[in-house]
Amino acid sequence: MSFHPFKRVSILFFLCVFILRLTLFLLPAQAQPPEGPPTPVVAAPVEERTLAPVVELVGTARPDRTSRVAAEVAGLVKEVKFNEGELIKEGVVLVGLDQNNLQLGLKAARAALAGVKIQLDEARKDLERAASLRATNSISVYNYEKDLYQVKNLEQVVARAEAETAQLEDTIQRMTVRAPFTGYIIEKHTELGQWLSPGAPVATIIDLSTIKVRGPLPERYVREIKPGFEASVVFDALGADSYKGRVTAVIPAADEKARTLPVEVSLPNPQGTIKAGLLARVTLTGKERKVLLVSKDALVLDRGRATVFVVKGDEVFPVEVQTGAAYGRQVEISGPIEPGRMVVVQGNERLRPGQKVSLTRGQDSPSTAAPPSSSPK
């Protein structure tokens, strides 16, 4: 029996494949390459401490009050008594409008009022005589009531004249524009000879007796930073001097993108040393609370996520955590992790879940670690 050469080659090929598969199946397990040695790492315990969180913000100095002083009535500017940058006391005249026409009108109104009052006095005397005569039926009811109505009419005329006179006096008073409070003139809006309409701006004045600094507070501190808390403020333009202030408001409207809330700090500025618009660096101290701390080197950051590798026996396992405030070389964390757990602080860049490790140093147990401190180190 003879085989075609092509069939003979095919049979030989399949026979070789079968023998190769059989050989691989029968190889002993010991033939696989041995596992590598444990990866050397450095670990440190998760610490629990009672600390007051310290929050640092950057803001801008703002005046306590800002007023765009305006004219209340129309008129021609007759005098300007201020300059930009000048410190003005409350009640000081800023601008005076021409009052000549109104003063003449007031003089005429007062004279007319005086004349009407004389007429009223005469009418009242006539009414008294009429009342006496009416009591004895010496005059008719018509004549008596005529004198009575004359008195009532003149009383109305006097009341109207008094109101017109008071209105002119008030208008004249409003033609003098005064500073609403003590402050600095930062902008001048009028000049001598200018015609002002009601509501036209005269000057912008700011009150620097108290400075307000507003900065963004991370939302994770909203329950810890409250109005009344003390604050320390440093202004770059004024050197290293620190100014003491207090939190006066936490604005309840968060920035959805930045996840922050505006916080306002007020501090006294009686000498006017702090100017509006200066860059301010604010340090806030919250209430004391228990926190978990790890070395910053223990964090493995990847696309906004933070992970620490926890040592269990001779293996490591990743645990995702949330980070908080920093205290020197340590950072606050929260998540499914307990105080005293050992976490890798060196050699954690390329670790895998379940990877075997060997601790080279930093293996002190939590019981031998330094006691908790009430302030960051």
Side-chain angles (χ1 to χ4, degrees), residues 247-289:
V247 176
T248 50
V250 178
I251 311 301
D255 185 321
E256 296 181 1
K257 295 182 179 179
R259 295 300 176 189
T260 59
L261 292 92
V263 61
E264 183 180 83
V265 174
S266 298
L267 54 154
N269 185 36
Q271 305 301 323
T273 305
I274 307 170
K275 311 302 181 185
L278 296 184
L279 177 69
R281 303 186 186 276
V282 182
T283 301
L284 302 174
T285 303
K287 291 183 178 179
E288 288 190 345
R289 59 186 177 86

Side-chain angles (χ1 to χ4, degrees), residues 9 16 36 64 126 128 144 175 189 198 219 246 252 261 350-351 363 373:
V9 172
C16 291
D64 184 33
D126 292 341
E128 290 177 1
Y144 169 76
M175 297 187 80
H189 302 294
E219 63 179 11
R246 289 188 178 276
L261 292 92
R350 297 184 179 180
L351 293 179
Q363 303 180 44
S373 170

Side-chain angles (χ1 to χ4, degrees), residues 27 29 51 73 95 116 128 155 194 233 240 303-304 312 341 345:
L27 280 176
L51 300 173
V73 297
V95 166
V116 174
E128 290 177 1
E155 285 177 344
Q194 182 178 350
V233 185
R303 289 172 290 186
K312 295 182 180 179
R341 286 288 188 181
V345 296

